[in-house]
Structures are given as C-alpha cells and as structure tokens.
Amino acid sequence: MPRFTVHVRDEWLTVPCKDATCSIKWLGFEALKRYIKNKPDNGGIQHIKDVHFGVKRCQGLGLLDNDDTIEDVLEDNDFVELAIEGDTMSQDFIPSQPGTSHLYLYIDNHRYISLDGNSLTSTDLVNLGKGLYKIKLTLEAEQKVVQSRELLDTIVKENKVVYGITTGFGKFARTVIPVSKLKELQENLLRSHSSGLGSPLSPERTRMLLALRINVLAKGLSGISLETLHRMIQAFNASCLSYVPEKGTVGASGDLAPLSHLALGLMGEGQMWSPKSGWADSKYVLEAHGLKPISLKPKEGLALINGTQMITSLGAEAVERAEAIAQQADIIAALTLEVLKGTTKAFDSDIHELRPHPGQKEVALRFRSLLDSDHHPSEIAESHRFCDRVQDAYTMRCCPQVHGIVNDTIEFVKKIINTEINSATDNPMVFAERGETISGGNFHGEYPAKALDYLAIGVHELASISERRIERLCNPSLSELPAFLVNEGGLNSGFMIAHCTAAALVSENKVLCHPSSIDSLSTSAATEDHVSMGGWAARKALRVVEHVEQVLAIELLAACQGIEFLRPLRTTTPLEKVYDLVRATVKPWIKDRFMAPDIEAVHRLLVDQKVWNIAGPYIEKYCMEYIPESRPSSPTAFILNVHNNTAQPPSVCLSLSLSFPLKGGSLD
C-alpha cells in the first residue's frame, strides 16, 4: 500500500493510501483529519470541509493540482507540504533546497569508492560530494573496526574508567558515569553539542562531511561499531543528509557542533534532506528510504564528533577549486596579453631557470605553450611584431612570478589537506593491538586552519592582478581599444561597472584574507584553552576562491570582447578555441544589456573547468614536442588515477595537473 508523508503546520503525518486513483484533494483532507485528531482544540479548525489549501511537493516545491490523481503526480513515500489558506509558513519548516550552492548537480550513481581511512584524496572527496560515487569499506577496514570495538566492549565490561567512554566530557572528565547510563551519556552529548547556527551546508558539502567522517572511522581507531558505521554508509549512499549549520565550530576539540548536527540526524532527530524528500524530520526521511536510525553504544557519540572533518572537507573543496582556477587564470591572462598586444619575451625559459621556483617555471611554460609563434601562429601578434614597445606592465610581464607562487601555495596546502583527510583525529584513540586507549590532541585543527588561511592569501592574488588587467582592457589610454570595450560610448557603458564589480570583490577579499587562525579563545571552562578557529578559515577560503573565479570570469568576458575590436585578425589556435567556448555561451557585446547573467554563465564555465579542458590538450602537446623529458617512453607510460578514471603523463606534464579521460576504464 503506498503511503505519503505530509507536512501540516508544525507536524509531519504519514498518510496511507489504499487507492492511488484518489485525488490530491483527498490526500490533503486525510492529512488534515490526522492533524486535527492530534490537537486538543482541533488546531483551530472548526469545519474541515471549509478549509482551503494547496499541496506542494517538498522536493522542488512544485504546486500540485487538487484534482489530479495521486498515481499521476506522486510516487510511493513522497513528501508533500500542505499549505492552509490564511496561514503563514510554519516557522520550523525549512525550504526543500538547502543553502545556495549552485556548483554541482547531485547524480545518483552506482559506482563505488572503497574507503580504508588511508587513501582518500581531496579530488575523491569533492567527487563524492557531487554524487559521482557511493562508498563501501574495504575488508581490512571492517576488520580493524571490529577489533577496536571489541576492546571498548571489554573496557565497559570490566568497569574501567576511561575518558569519554565511562566518564563525562571536557570539564566533566573526572565524573564517572554508571554503566546503565552510558547510552544516555552519548545521546546527551550529541543533543547538547548540536548548537550550531547559520545557514545549513549545501547537500554537496554535507555529503563531503559525512564521507570524510566515515573515512576517518574506517581507520579502526575510534571504537565505532561496524553496525553503526554501516548505517552511516547506507545514509550516505541514499543521500540522506542531516541539517548541519555552517557556524559554531572553533576547530578544537574538533568540529564538535557541526559534527554533532551531522550525527543527530543519523540518530533520527532534527532535520534531514534527501533528493527524494527535500527537508523533513530525520526519522521520516530515514524511514522513507528504508533505513534505521543509529543506536549509540558507549563512546560512539564521541567517536562521531571528535575531529577536524568540517574544516578539512570544506578545505578540500577550496583547494580543488583553487587549483582549477589557477590553471585557467594562466589561459585567461594569455588571452588578455594577446588583446593588449603584449610581448612573449618575458616567458623565455632561460629567464625562469635563473629563478627556478616550480610554480614560476610552470606558469611560464603554460604561457609559451599558448603563445609560442612557432607552435601557434597569431595574426594579432604578427600585427605588432615590429612595434617599439620594449616591455609590458607588470600585470602581464610578471604573471609567472605572481601566478607561480599561487601554484606553489596550492600544492603546499593540498599536501596538508590530503594528509588531514586520512588522519585519525579522534580522542581518545583506541589501539586494539596494544589493548589500550590513549588520550591525545589530534583533534586540534591548527594544521588545516593555518593552511587554509595561507590558501586564501595566496589565491587572492590571482584576483588582485586580474582586476588590474581588466582595468587595462577597459581603459582606452592603455588598451588602444574603445573605452569600456563598447561602441557608442556614452550611450552605452559597456564593461564600466563590471570592472567595478571586480574591484569590489578584490576589496572584499582583502578583508577575508585576514587570518582567522591567529585568534584563539579559551572554551569549556579552560579545558580547551587554545583553539584553531579553523571553521571560519575554511569558510572564508571558499569565499575568497569563489570571488577569484568571478573576477577571472569578468576578465575572460572582457578579453573576448576585446578580440571583437581586433577582427578579422585571429589569435593562436588554443586561444581561439577558448574564445569559441565563451561565444557559445555569451554573445558579443554590441550594445548595453543585462550583464550579470553573462558573468554568471562564464563563472560556471570556469567552475566546470571547461576553459582548461579546451586549452589543456594544447599545453600537453607542447610539452610532448618541446620538452623531451616529458615524453612517455612507451604508449603505456601513463599514470592511471583509478578513482578519477583519468590518465596523466609523467614528469613535467604531470606537474601541470592535466587529466584526459581514458576509454574503457572502470571502478568497482
């Protein structure tokens, strides 16, 4: 028999339906009957037949016609919202689409990544957030989890006094808890610590958070039971995601507030979201997916919340997006250099060998691969070949030096984030082989906090220098192009305010780049007397990266518009391909029009790495032809990344982070 979960004011009601040919109106009245039955005053409803209401699907908030039949518009276990005419939206009802993330579209996939707690990467984690994979445990991980749980069960059985297992927490570490109350102790921990505020994490970021916590627990050092861990995995694979507010962690003793909210939903309390239900009470979402809430055993509440997974999961997204935009920034800057009729002499390899920072050499190589006249003839470059200009402004000439340190910063931060992803950050640690638990401080978030502050400072410079290039493109005294890149200036304003937007974002970034990890406030009655503030470090690093993407989107639009005034001359082949990509999305600027959608569309191209996907193969080909040591010794001399189903050439080209799909690759 099909059944439906209906939200009426402050209550969620399960309504069975014997006849699916009944109307939506019938479903609404059945829900109202059940709602009134539970209220002493009938919920203020005097005559149910006089009530007028509308019915919406929770997912997508699509309004349903009351005359439609249930079988035509709903599926078994669907969630719907009943809005009574004259009511305001109930205060506890959360719209079905959490957050404002527009980056990724959830995909229900049947491919798996096996977690063992030791080999997950930031790239894997972002892909798990996108819904590209489900997860399972390796056999070795399951064995380690069982062994550590057996040790904890022995500790409880022998009435030993161990922090967090048979005692209270923080200031209450010396308070011994009776065995009969150990389950209540863990449940109370999650409830009291679920005290975060702010907007909920997006589904993608909540998936990343849950996947990372599962990965840490898979190490078998936290004392979680295999039953509880399997239920967490089932919830992840069904994309049943708890309501996790973004604010509330100080980053030591781990991300307690957000991880408590994450665990609370899995316990069947609080709110939860799934693609099928939208937002609803956790117990209903789990039930609709055939899942059971977790039932906490001794120490399991602590095992679920002690760690740096909030900082690290957001940091993983930040560093992956930073890496992607840093690659594409070189391409955009090369296009701007062409439009401004700059010289390529500053990218000569001999110059950069004299200051051999890896990032600087890498950026110079990319510029040569895109602009080398012997490799890619350019009519624009040829048109000013014999001009009297000796050198360009720093914003073009010094791209290898400025963009280069950003690349090196990203590489440094990525190493720290990937180490943190596979680190045990619980307390106490359960060492099954030694037969003991040991308290330590691996939960402290200083490592990822400092790294992400550094990332924000580093990647911001891409926007800072890009905004100056936008100024050069828009300023006719510097570009030899029409003012603000538009004809009939005065009647049309062109890119005037788009440049202002870029300047505003750069200015905002200057404030966001102030390091949060230099702050510390003592908490928990001075038990936790030094904290990392890593949660804010991660959140603001993401904001900085997004602003960088948006500024570079404006530069890319401006550079492509500049090309229009140089026609019929053409630039190099790879840069023409980039121009074509942009023009397939955004048409040339003939006269003023609504500009924000154009910026957003090109921002999306950068987030999806489409600019890199277009130009990257040309960079790889240049590597293969002009740098002998980058050539593979045989057709099979490629490094296969099994998680991402991509092949990568070794040596120099590997440092460029190129990835091109292989045919026929597979995962579990």
Side-chain angles (χ1 to χ4, degrees), residues 34 361 424 532 556 637:
R34 292 165 187 267
K361 292 171 62 178
S532 72
L556 180 54

PDB file of all heavy atoms in Angstrom, residues 34 361 424 532 556 637:
ATOM      1  N   ARG A  34      -5.967  13.797  10.322  1.00  0.00           N
ATOM      2  CA  ARG A  34      -4.984  13.272  11.266  1.00  0.00           C
ATOM      3  C   ARG A  34      -4.370  14.403  12.099  1.00  0.00           C
ATOM      4  O   ARG A  34      -4.063  14.229  13.275  1.00  0.00           O
ATOM      5  CB  ARG A  34      -3.895  12.509  10.515  1.00  0.00           C
ATOM      6  CG  ARG A  34      -4.426  11.231   9.884  1.00  0.00           C
ATOM      7  CD  ARG A  34      -3.486  10.644   8.837  1.00  0.00           C
ATOM      8  NE  ARG A  34      -4.134   9.527   8.155  1.00  0.00           N
ATOM      9  CZ  ARG A  34      -4.002   8.258   8.527  1.00  0.00           C
ATOM     10  NH1 ARG A  34      -3.220   7.942   9.539  1.00  0.00           N
ATOM     11  NH2 ARG A  34      -4.636   7.295   7.890  1.00  0.00           N
ATOM     12  N   LYS A 361      58.145  28.452 -13.079  1.00  0.00           N
ATOM     13  CA  LYS A 361      58.524  27.760 -14.312  1.00  0.00           C
ATOM     14  C   LYS A 361      57.299  27.150 -14.991  1.00  0.00           C
ATOM     15  O   LYS A 361      57.179  27.163 -16.219  1.00  0.00           O
ATOM     16  CB  LYS A 361      59.553  26.673 -14.001  1.00  0.00           C
ATOM     17  CG  LYS A 361      60.909  27.203 -13.547  1.00  0.00           C
ATOM     18  CD  LYS A 361      61.815  26.092 -13.053  1.00  0.00           C
ATOM     19  CE  LYS A 361      62.120  25.078 -14.145  1.00  0.00           C
ATOM     20  NZ  LYS A 361      63.048  24.021 -13.660  1.00  0.00           N
ATOM     21  N   ALA A 424      43.827  10.141  11.733  1.00  0.00           N
ATOM     22  CA  ALA A 424      42.958   9.828  12.868  1.00  0.00           C
ATOM     23  C   ALA A 424      42.928  11.039  13.779  1.00  0.00           C
ATOM     24  O   ALA A 424      43.964  11.459  14.299  1.00  0.00           O
ATOM     25  CB  ALA A 424      43.473   8.604  13.609  1.00  0.00           C
ATOM     26  N   SER A 532      41.720  26.625  17.185  1.00  0.00           N
ATOM     27  CA  SER A 532      42.287  26.984  15.880  1.00  0.00           C
ATOM     28  C   SER A 532      41.460  27.976  15.086  1.00  0.00           C
ATOM     29  O   SER A 532      41.966  28.637  14.191  1.00  0.00           O
ATOM     30  CB  SER A 532      42.459  25.717  15.031  1.00  0.00           C
ATOM     31  OG  SER A 532      41.190  25.221  14.604  1.00  0.00           O
ATOM     32  N   LEU A 556      37.817  37.261 -18.462  1.00  0.00           N
ATOM     33  CA  LEU A 556      37.647  36.439 -19.661  1.00  0.00           C
ATOM     34  C   LEU A 556      36.610  37.058 -20.597  1.00  0.00           C
ATOM     35  O   LEU A 556      36.807  37.112 -21.822  1.00  0.00           O
ATOM     36  CB  LEU A 556      37.245  35.016 -19.269  1.00  0.00           C
ATOM     37  CG  LEU A 556      37.018  34.023 -20.408  1.00  0.00           C
ATOM     38  CD1 LEU A 556      38.214  33.954 -21.345  1.00  0.00           C
ATOM     39  CD2 LEU A 556      36.692  32.632 -19.848  1.00  0.00           C
ATOM     40  N   ALA A 637      53.115   4.360 -20.760  1.00  0.00           N
ATOM     41  CA  ALA A 637      53.790   5.058 -19.666  1.00  0.00           C
ATOM     42  C   ALA A 637      52.960   6.237 -19.175  1.00  0.00           C
ATOM     43  O   ALA A 637      53.369   7.379 -19.203  1.00  0.00           O
ATOM     44  CB  ALA A 637      55.160   5.533 -20.119  1.00  0.00           C
TER      45      ALA A 637
END
